[in-house]
Amino acid sequence: MNGAVFVSGKKTSGYTLTSTLLKGYRKAAVDNSRELQYEAALLLSNNHFSRAYFLAAASIEEIGKAVQAFDALGRNVRDTEISTRVRLNFQDYSKKIAAAVFPWLLRDPSSRETISIFVESLIESKNPSEPSLFVGIEPQGMSLHSPFSVVLREQAEECVRMARIIFSYAAPHVLDGHYKVRTKAEDDFFVMKPASVLNASSGADFWQYYIASMKSGDVAFEAALIDYTKKYLARNEKYKGADLGGLDG
């Protein structure tokens, strides 16, 4: 298999993450993303718009996996919860797309609106292979759709163009950059469920705690959220300004 690293799918969800595996996965995903991008452009030039759109979206998904693997290199993947979250993220379409555009956002925050609109359109389609590759029956059962009529030329051109730009930012980020070694608090935040993060951070009490933390010099949001959860939320208690000198300092 030419040294390829394959860690996709539910049947392989129990594999062990190592630095060697993550580095190999990162490189293989970058290479595959580059090939998919080339093939998408080739299909577009021959007026195969639906297939071009699908391969361009797949290229973005693949480079997203490379970014996820790069991020995981800085995490304590020997921890069961962290390694499980990394593996689940490899299988989560929306998280792969979000990871793919992160390096672009990091380098060019002014493009946030353009990126957000495009990402929303990809995630709304959920699985581009369904409408792009297969004939289907509409939910009402009254009509059919054919892949040749699903994607317009403009949509295919835009997806191929965006895939090229996303790759141009993400590939150097993961191949030439230095991954960030994460703190324990950052890893704990990483494995929190979105609902738990929302529950912990939605109240005024947490924000009072966070403001006091910042006044004391601790500006990391993740660390403040984890500390607040352990000290107060888990005990069903409220922060009353007693810690960190209160809010009057």
Side-chain angles (χ1 to χ4, degrees), residues 159-197:
C159 197
V160 170
R161 184 183 72 84
M162 291 293 280
R164 186 180 302 114
I165 297 172
I166 290 167
F167 184 87
S168 72
Y169 281 98
H173 177 82
V174 303
L175 294 178
D176 304 329
H178 298 285
Y179 58 82
K180 180 182 178 183
V181 177
R182 302 293 178 168
T183 64
K184 176 68 164 57
E186 287 175 318
D187 275 345
D188 287 344
F189 181 81
F190 177 69
V191 299
M192 285 183 74
K193 294 180 179 178
S196 298
V197 174

mmCIF file of all heavy atoms in Angstrom, residues 159-197:
data_model
loop_
_atom_site.group_PDB
_atom_site.id
_atom_site.type_symbol
_atom_site.label_atom_id
_atom_site.label_comp_id
_atom_site.label_asym_id
_atom_site.label_seq_id
_atom_site.Cartn_x
_atom_site.Cartn_y
_atom_site.Cartn_z
ATOM 1 N N CYS A 159 -16.218 25.699 -5.689
ATOM 2 C CA CYS A 159 -15.701 24.661 -4.785
ATOM 3 C C CYS A 159 -14.266 24.286 -5.140
ATOM 4 O O CYS A 159 -13.418 24.130 -4.255
ATOM 5 C CB CYS A 159 -16.601 23.428 -4.832
ATOM 6 S SG CYS A 159 -16.363 22.305 -3.436
ATOM 7 N N VAL A 160 -13.982 24.166 -6.429
ATOM 8 C CA VAL A 160 -12.616 23.854 -6.867
ATOM 9 C C VAL A 160 -11.670 24.996 -6.500
ATOM 10 O O VAL A 160 -10.543 24.774 -6.021
ATOM 11 C CB VAL A 160 -12.579 23.576 -8.385
ATOM 12 C CG1 VAL A 160 -11.139 23.490 -8.886
ATOM 13 C CG2 VAL A 160 -13.329 22.285 -8.708
ATOM 14 N N ARG A 161 -12.128 26.222 -6.688
ATOM 15 C CA ARG A 161 -11.305 27.391 -6.352
ATOM 16 C C ARG A 161 -11.025 27.451 -4.848
ATOM 17 O O ARG A 161 -9.884 27.673 -4.422
ATOM 18 C CB ARG A 161 -12.012 28.672 -6.792
ATOM 19 C CG ARG A 161 -11.198 29.950 -6.585
ATOM 20 C CD ARG A 161 -12.000 31.187 -6.984
ATOM 21 N NE ARG A 161 -13.052 31.485 -6.027
ATOM 22 C CZ ARG A 161 -12.857 32.187 -4.901
ATOM 23 N NH1 ARG A 161 -11.648 32.644 -4.608
ATOM 24 N NH2 ARG A 161 -13.858 32.421 -4.075
ATOM 25 N N MET A 162 -12.052 27.236 -4.042
ATOM 26 C CA MET A 162 -11.890 27.289 -2.592
ATOM 27 C C MET A 162 -11.009 26.149 -2.086
ATOM 28 O O MET A 162 -10.207 26.332 -1.159
ATOM 29 C CB MET A 162 -13.249 27.260 -1.908
ATOM 30 C CG MET A 162 -14.078 28.523 -2.115
ATOM 31 S SD MET A 162 -13.358 29.977 -1.299
ATOM 32 C CE MET A 162 -13.893 29.711 0.382
ATOM 33 N N ALA A 163 -11.145 24.990 -2.687
ATOM 34 C CA ALA A 163 -10.297 23.856 -2.290
ATOM 35 C C ALA A 163 -8.834 24.187 -2.514
ATOM 36 O O ALA A 163 -7.968 23.853 -1.695
ATOM 37 C CB ALA A 163 -10.695 22.604 -3.082
ATOM 38 N N ARG A 164 -8.543 24.874 -3.625
ATOM 39 C CA ARG A 164 -7.170 25.246 -3.945
ATOM 40 C C ARG A 164 -6.625 26.250 -2.914
ATOM 41 O O ARG A 164 -5.504 26.115 -2.436
ATOM 42 C CB ARG A 164 -7.112 25.841 -5.351
ATOM 43 C CG ARG A 164 -5.694 26.127 -5.841
ATOM 44 C CD ARG A 164 -5.703 26.712 -7.245
ATOM 45 N NE ARG A 164 -6.359 25.829 -8.200
ATOM 46 C CZ ARG A 164 -7.488 26.098 -8.827
ATOM 47 N NH1 ARG A 164 -8.107 27.244 -8.614
ATOM 48 N NH2 ARG A 164 -7.998 25.239 -9.683
ATOM 49 N N ILE A 165 -7.441 27.227 -2.545
ATOM 50 C CA ILE A 165 -7.005 28.237 -1.579
ATOM 51 C C ILE A 165 -6.818 27.614 -0.196
ATOM 52 O O ILE A 165 -5.813 27.859 0.491
ATOM 53 C CB ILE A 165 -8.019 29.394 -1.501
ATOM 54 C CG1 ILE A 165 -8.113 30.117 -2.843
ATOM 55 C CG2 ILE A 165 -7.630 30.381 -0.402
ATOM 56 C CD1 ILE A 165 -9.228 31.149 -2.903
ATOM 57 N N ILE A 166 -7.788 26.810 0.223
ATOM 58 C CA ILE A 166 -7.712 26.164 1.539
ATOM 59 C C ILE A 166 -6.457 25.313 1.637
ATOM 60 O O ILE A 166 -5.740 25.340 2.642
ATOM 61 C CB ILE A 166 -8.982 25.324 1.783
ATOM 62 C CG1 ILE A 166 -10.184 26.263 1.997
ATOM 63 C CG2 ILE A 166 -8.806 24.394 2.976
ATOM 64 C CD1 ILE A 166 -11.530 25.563 1.946
ATOM 65 N N PHE A 167 -6.174 24.564 0.581
ATOM 66 C CA PHE A 167 -4.976 23.723 0.566
ATOM 67 C C PHE A 167 -3.702 24.572 0.648
ATOM 68 O O PHE A 167 -2.746 24.205 1.344
ATOM 69 C CB PHE A 167 -4.947 22.881 -0.709
ATOM 70 C CG PHE A 167 -3.802 21.913 -0.772
ATOM 71 C CD1 PHE A 167 -3.906 20.648 -0.228
ATOM 72 C CD2 PHE A 167 -2.601 22.277 -1.381
ATOM 73 C CE1 PHE A 167 -2.844 19.752 -0.286
ATOM 74 C CE2 PHE A 167 -1.531 21.401 -1.430
ATOM 75 C CZ PHE A 167 -1.651 20.131 -0.881
ATOM 76 N N SER A 168 -3.705 25.720 -0.019
ATOM 77 C CA SER A 168 -2.498 26.561 -0.057
ATOM 78 C C SER A 168 -2.128 27.087 1.331
ATOM 79 O O SER A 168 -0.959 27.364 1.603
ATOM 80 C CB SER A 168 -2.695 27.731 -1.032
ATOM 81 O OG SER A 168 -3.591 28.700 -0.510
ATOM 82 N N TYR A 169 -3.113 27.221 2.195
ATOM 83 C CA TYR A 169 -2.841 27.650 3.575
ATOM 84 C C TYR A 169 -2.564 26.447 4.497
ATOM 85 O O TYR A 169 -1.689 26.499 5.362
ATOM 86 C CB TYR A 169 -4.023 28.435 4.135
ATOM 87 C CG TYR A 169 -4.095 29.868 3.666
ATOM 88 C CD1 TYR A 169 -4.930 30.231 2.608
ATOM 89 C CD2 TYR A 169 -3.348 30.865 4.266
ATOM 90 C CE1 TYR A 169 -5.016 31.542 2.163
ATOM 91 C CE2 TYR A 169 -3.417 32.190 3.825
ATOM 92 C CZ TYR A 169 -4.256 32.517 2.783
ATOM 93 O OH TYR A 169 -4.330 33.828 2.351
ATOM 94 N N ALA A 170 -3.347 25.382 4.322
ATOM 95 C CA ALA A 170 -3.285 24.261 5.260
ATOM 96 C C ALA A 170 -2.051 23.392 5.083
ATOM 97 O O ALA A 170 -1.454 22.948 6.073
ATOM 98 C CB ALA A 170 -4.545 23.405 5.123
ATOM 99 N N ALA A 171 -1.649 23.121 3.838
ATOM 100 C CA ALA A 171 -0.513 22.229 3.611
ATOM 101 C C ALA A 171 0.779 22.741 4.261
ATOM 102 O O ALA A 171 1.448 21.998 4.998
ATOM 103 C CB ALA A 171 -0.319 21.975 2.121
ATOM 104 N N PRO A 172 1.179 23.999 4.049
ATOM 105 C CA PRO A 172 2.385 24.498 4.723
ATOM 106 C C PRO A 172 2.232 24.535 6.245
ATOM 107 O O PRO A 172 3.202 24.323 6.975
ATOM 108 C CB PRO A 172 2.566 25.910 4.170
ATOM 109 C CG PRO A 172 1.646 26.059 3.029
ATOM 110 C CD PRO A 172 0.622 24.993 3.128
ATOM 111 N N HIS A 173 1.002 24.794 6.710
ATOM 112 C CA HIS A 173 0.743 24.858 8.154
ATOM 113 C C HIS A 173 1.068 23.536 8.818
ATOM 114 O O HIS A 173 1.690 23.504 9.895
ATOM 115 C CB HIS A 173 -0.727 25.225 8.387
ATOM 116 C CG HIS A 173 -1.135 25.245 9.829
ATOM 117 N ND1 HIS A 173 -0.898 26.316 10.653
ATOM 118 C CD2 HIS A 173 -1.767 24.293 10.590
ATOM 119 C CE1 HIS A 173 -1.361 26.051 11.872
ATOM 120 N NE2 HIS A 173 -1.897 24.831 11.855
ATOM 121 N N VAL A 174 0.668 22.429 8.193
ATOM 122 C CA VAL A 174 0.849 21.126 8.831
ATOM 123 C C VAL A 174 2.184 20.461 8.492
ATOM 124 O O VAL A 174 2.657 19.604 9.240
ATOM 125 C CB VAL A 174 -0.310 20.157 8.478
ATOM 126 C CG1 VAL A 174 -1.641 20.758 8.881
ATOM 127 C CG2 VAL A 174 -0.318 19.797 7.005
ATOM 128 N N LEU A 175 2.792 20.840 7.378
ATOM 129 C CA LEU A 175 4.052 20.206 6.975
ATOM 130 C C LEU A 175 5.275 20.995 7.428
ATOM 131 O O LEU A 175 6.322 20.401 7.735
ATOM 132 C CB LEU A 175 4.088 20.028 5.450
ATOM 133 C CG LEU A 175 3.065 19.058 4.850
ATOM 134 C CD1 LEU A 175 3.199 19.033 3.340
ATOM 135 C CD2 LEU A 175 3.230 17.656 5.428
ATOM 136 N N ASP A 176 5.167 22.308 7.469
ATOM 137 C CA ASP A 176 6.327 23.145 7.797
ATOM 138 C C ASP A 176 6.227 23.828 9.155
ATOM 139 O O ASP A 176 7.222 24.345 9.670
ATOM 140 C CB ASP A 176 6.508 24.242 6.725
ATOM 141 C CG ASP A 176 6.639 23.660 5.332
ATOM 142 O OD1 ASP A 176 7.162 22.541 5.207
ATOM 143 O OD2 ASP A 176 6.202 24.312 4.362
ATOM 144 N N GLY A 177 5.022 23.860 9.735
ATOM 145 C CA GLY A 177 4.826 24.547 11.004
ATOM 146 C C GLY A 177 5.203 23.681 12.185
ATOM 147 O O GLY A 177 5.524 22.491 12.059
ATOM 148 N N HIS A 178 5.187 24.279 13.363
ATOM 149 C CA HIS A 178 5.479 23.570 14.612
ATOM 150 C C HIS A 178 4.181 23.446 15.398
ATOM 151 O O HIS A 178 3.532 24.449 15.684
ATOM 152 C CB HIS A 178 6.525 24.326 15.435
ATOM 153 C CG HIS A 178 7.842 24.459 14.734
ATOM 154 N ND1 HIS A 178 8.722 23.413 14.604
ATOM 155 C CD2 HIS A 178 8.411 25.518 14.102
ATOM 156 C CE1 HIS A 178 9.799 23.820 13.937
ATOM 157 N NE2 HIS A 178 9.621 25.086 13.619
ATOM 158 N N TYR A 179 3.796 22.224 15.709
ATOM 159 C CA TYR A 179 2.553 22.030 16.443
ATOM 160 C C TYR A 179 2.693 22.550 17.874
ATOM 161 O O TYR A 179 3.773 22.586 18.446
ATOM 162 C CB TYR A 179 2.131 20.561 16.454
ATOM 163 C CG TYR A 179 3.136 19.598 17.041
ATOM 164 C CD1 TYR A 179 3.229 19.413 18.421
ATOM 165 C CD2 TYR A 179 3.992 18.868 16.219
ATOM 166 C CE1 TYR A 179 4.139 18.525 18.968
ATOM 167 C CE2 TYR A 179 4.902 17.978 16.751
ATOM 168 C CZ TYR A 179 4.970 17.808 18.120
ATOM 169 O OH TYR A 179 5.882 16.945 18.668
ATOM 170 N N LYS A 180 1.562 22.985 18.424
ATOM 171 C CA LYS A 180 1.539 23.534 19.772
ATOM 172 C C LYS A 180 1.362 22.420 20.791
ATOM 173 O O LYS A 180 0.437 21.612 20.673
ATOM 174 C CB LYS A 180 0.391 24.542 19.906
ATOM 175 C CG LYS A 180 0.276 25.167 21.282
ATOM 176 C CD LYS A 180 -0.916 26.120 21.362
ATOM 177 C CE LYS A 180 -1.049 26.707 22.758
ATOM 178 N NZ LYS A 180 -2.237 27.592 22.882
ATOM 179 N N VAL A 181 2.246 22.367 21.765
ATOM 180 C CA VAL A 181 2.108 21.394 22.854
ATOM 181 C C VAL A 181 1.030 21.907 23.801
ATOM 182 O O VAL A 181 1.147 22.997 24.366
ATOM 183 C CB VAL A 181 3.437 21.194 23.604
ATOM 184 C CG1 VAL A 181 3.244 20.225 24.771
ATOM 185 C CG2 VAL A 181 4.510 20.676 22.647
ATOM 186 N N ARG A 182 -0.028 21.154 23.954
ATOM 187 C CA ARG A 182 -1.185 21.588 24.708
ATOM 188 C C ARG A 182 -1.023 21.382 26.208
ATOM 189 O O ARG A 182 -0.381 20.422 26.646
ATOM 190 C CB ARG A 182 -2.430 20.828 24.236
ATOM 191 C CG ARG A 182 -2.725 20.986 22.760
ATOM 192 C CD ARG A 182 -3.136 22.402 22.414
ATOM 193 N NE ARG A 182 -3.373 22.569 20.983
ATOM 194 C CZ ARG A 182 -3.958 23.624 20.451
ATOM 195 N NH1 ARG A 182 -4.353 24.626 21.222
ATOM 196 N NH2 ARG A 182 -4.127 23.703 19.147
ATOM 197 N N THR A 183 -1.628 22.266 26.967
ATOM 198 C CA THR A 183 -1.626 22.140 28.415
ATOM 199 C C THR A 183 -2.681 21.125 28.835
ATOM 200 O O THR A 183 -3.551 20.739 28.038
ATOM 201 C CB THR A 183 -1.938 23.483 29.091
ATOM 202 O OG1 THR A 183 -3.281 23.877 28.731
ATOM 203 C CG2 THR A 183 -0.957 24.567 28.641
ATOM 204 N N LYS A 184 -2.641 20.730 30.098
ATOM 205 C CA LYS A 184 -3.649 19.804 30.629
ATOM 206 C C LYS A 184 -5.035 20.428 30.512
ATOM 207 O O LYS A 184 -6.000 19.752 30.145
ATOM 208 C CB LYS A 184 -3.325 19.499 32.096
ATOM 209 C CG LYS A 184 -4.350 18.627 32.823
ATOM 210 C CD LYS A 184 -4.362 17.208 32.279
ATOM 211 C CE LYS A 184 -5.066 16.237 33.205
ATOM 212 N NZ LYS A 184 -6.472 16.581 33.528
ATOM 213 N N ALA A 185 -5.152 21.734 30.810
ATOM 214 C CA ALA A 185 -6.450 22.410 30.728
ATOM 215 C C ALA A 185 -6.968 22.428 29.292
ATOM 216 O O ALA A 185 -8.165 22.236 29.043
ATOM 217 C CB ALA A 185 -6.331 23.832 31.260
ATOM 218 N N GLU A 186 -6.079 22.648 28.321
ATOM 219 C CA GLU A 186 -6.490 22.659 26.917
ATOM 220 C C GLU A 186 -6.963 21.281 26.477
ATOM 221 O O GLU A 186 -7.941 21.165 25.722
ATOM 222 C CB GLU A 186 -5.333 23.134 26.037
ATOM 223 C CG GLU A 186 -5.061 24.627 26.152
ATOM 224 C CD GLU A 186 -3.835 25.062 25.370
ATOM 225 O OE1 GLU A 186 -2.811 24.335 25.403
ATOM 226 O OE2 GLU A 186 -3.889 26.128 24.740
ATOM 227 N N ASP A 187 -6.298 20.226 26.953
ATOM 228 C CA ASP A 187 -6.733 18.869 26.626
ATOM 229 C C ASP A 187 -8.070 18.549 27.289
ATOM 230 O O ASP A 187 -8.937 17.899 26.684
ATOM 231 C CB ASP A 187 -5.675 17.854 27.057
ATOM 232 C CG ASP A 187 -4.582 17.670 26.010
ATOM 233 O OD1 ASP A 187 -4.786 18.093 24.860
ATOM 234 O OD2 ASP A 187 -3.517 17.116 26.353
ATOM 235 N N ASP A 188 -8.246 18.992 28.527
ATOM 236 C CA ASP A 188 -9.519 18.760 29.216
ATOM 237 C C ASP A 188 -10.659 19.477 28.490
ATOM 238 O O ASP A 188 -11.760 18.944 28.357
ATOM 239 C CB ASP A 188 -9.434 19.263 30.661
ATOM 240 C CG ASP A 188 -8.570 18.374 31.550
ATOM 241 O OD1 ASP A 188 -8.292 17.232 31.141
ATOM 242 O OD2 ASP A 188 -8.173 18.823 32.640
ATOM 243 N N PHE A 189 -10.390 20.686 28.025
ATOM 244 C CA PHE A 189 -11.382 21.449 27.268
ATOM 245 C C PHE A 189 -11.698 20.744 25.950
ATOM 246 O O PHE A 189 -12.852 20.695 25.515
ATOM 247 C CB PHE A 189 -10.845 22.855 27.003
ATOM 248 C CG PHE A 189 -11.794 23.752 26.255
ATOM 249 C CD1 PHE A 189 -12.826 24.400 26.920
ATOM 250 C CD2 PHE A 189 -11.655 23.949 24.889
ATOM 251 C CE1 PHE A 189 -13.710 25.226 26.233
ATOM 252 C CE2 PHE A 189 -12.530 24.774 24.197
ATOM 253 C CZ PHE A 189 -13.565 25.412 24.873
ATOM 254 N N PHE A 190 -10.684 20.179 25.315
ATOM 255 C CA PHE A 190 -10.814 19.494 24.029
ATOM 256 C C PHE A 190 -11.810 18.342 24.105
ATOM 257 O O PHE A 190 -12.562 18.102 23.144
ATOM 258 C CB PHE A 190 -9.437 18.985 23.598
ATOM 259 C CG PHE A 190 -9.413 18.190 22.327
ATOM 260 C CD1 PHE A 190 -9.658 18.786 21.099
ATOM 261 C CD2 PHE A 190 -9.115 16.833 22.350
ATOM 262 C CE1 PHE A 190 -9.617 18.048 19.921
ATOM 263 C CE2 PHE A 190 -9.071 16.091 21.181
ATOM 264 C CZ PHE A 190 -9.319 16.697 19.963
ATOM 265 N N VAL A 191 -11.834 17.635 25.232
ATOM 266 C CA VAL A 191 -12.707 16.454 25.332
ATOM 267 C C VAL A 191 -14.084 16.783 25.892
ATOM 268 O O VAL A 191 -14.958 15.910 25.940
ATOM 269 C CB VAL A 191 -12.057 15.340 26.194
ATOM 270 C CG1 VAL A 191 -10.750 14.889 25.571
ATOM 271 C CG2 VAL A 191 -11.852 15.795 27.633
ATOM 272 N N MET A 192 -14.299 18.029 26.304
ATOM 273 C CA MET A 192 -15.620 18.404 26.807
ATOM 274 C C MET A 192 -16.654 18.379 25.691
ATOM 275 O O MET A 192 -16.368 18.783 24.565
ATOM 276 C CB MET A 192 -15.586 19.806 27.426
ATOM 277 C CG MET A 192 -14.925 19.885 28.787
ATOM 278 S SD MET A 192 -15.014 21.570 29.491
ATOM 279 C CE MET A 192 -16.764 21.652 29.960
ATOM 280 N N LYS A 193 -17.854 17.939 26.010
ATOM 281 C CA LYS A 193 -18.940 17.958 25.040
ATOM 282 C C LYS A 193 -19.411 19.395 24.848
ATOM 283 O O LYS A 193 -19.401 20.184 25.796
ATOM 284 C CB LYS A 193 -20.096 17.086 25.523
ATOM 285 C CG LYS A 193 -19.743 15.609 25.599
ATOM 286 C CD LYS A 193 -20.931 14.794 26.096
ATOM 287 C CE LYS A 193 -20.579 13.309 26.150
ATOM 288 N NZ LYS A 193 -21.712 12.493 26.672
ATOM 289 N N PRO A 194 -19.814 19.765 23.627
ATOM 290 C CA PRO A 194 -20.283 21.137 23.376
ATOM 291 C C PRO A 194 -21.356 21.595 24.348
ATOM 292 O O PRO A 194 -21.359 22.741 24.791
ATOM 293 C CB PRO A 194 -20.812 21.064 21.939
ATOM 294 C CG PRO A 194 -20.019 19.956 21.309
ATOM 295 C CD PRO A 194 -19.802 18.947 22.404
ATOM 296 N N ALA A 195 -22.274 20.681 24.703
ATOM 297 C CA ALA A 195 -23.343 21.044 25.635
ATOM 298 C C ALA A 195 -22.774 21.394 27.006
ATOM 299 O O ALA A 195 -23.280 22.297 27.689
ATOM 300 C CB ALA A 195 -24.340 19.901 25.752
ATOM 301 N N SER A 196 -21.731 20.683 27.403
ATOM 302 C CA SER A 196 -21.106 20.950 28.701
ATOM 303 C C SER A 196 -20.395 22.298 28.696
ATOM 304 O O SER A 196 -20.427 23.035 29.680
ATOM 305 C CB SER A 196 -20.113 19.836 29.055
ATOM 306 O OG SER A 196 -20.767 18.596 29.162
ATOM 307 N N VAL A 197 -19.725 22.611 27.572
ATOM 308 C CA VAL A 197 -19.051 23.905 27.451
ATOM 309 C C VAL A 197 -20.080 25.029 27.530
ATOM 310 O O VAL A 197 -19.884 26.027 28.233
ATOM 311 C CB VAL A 197 -18.276 24.000 26.117
ATOM 312 C CG1 VAL A 197 -17.700 25.406 25.928
ATOM 313 C CG2 VAL A 197 -17.156 22.965 26.090
#
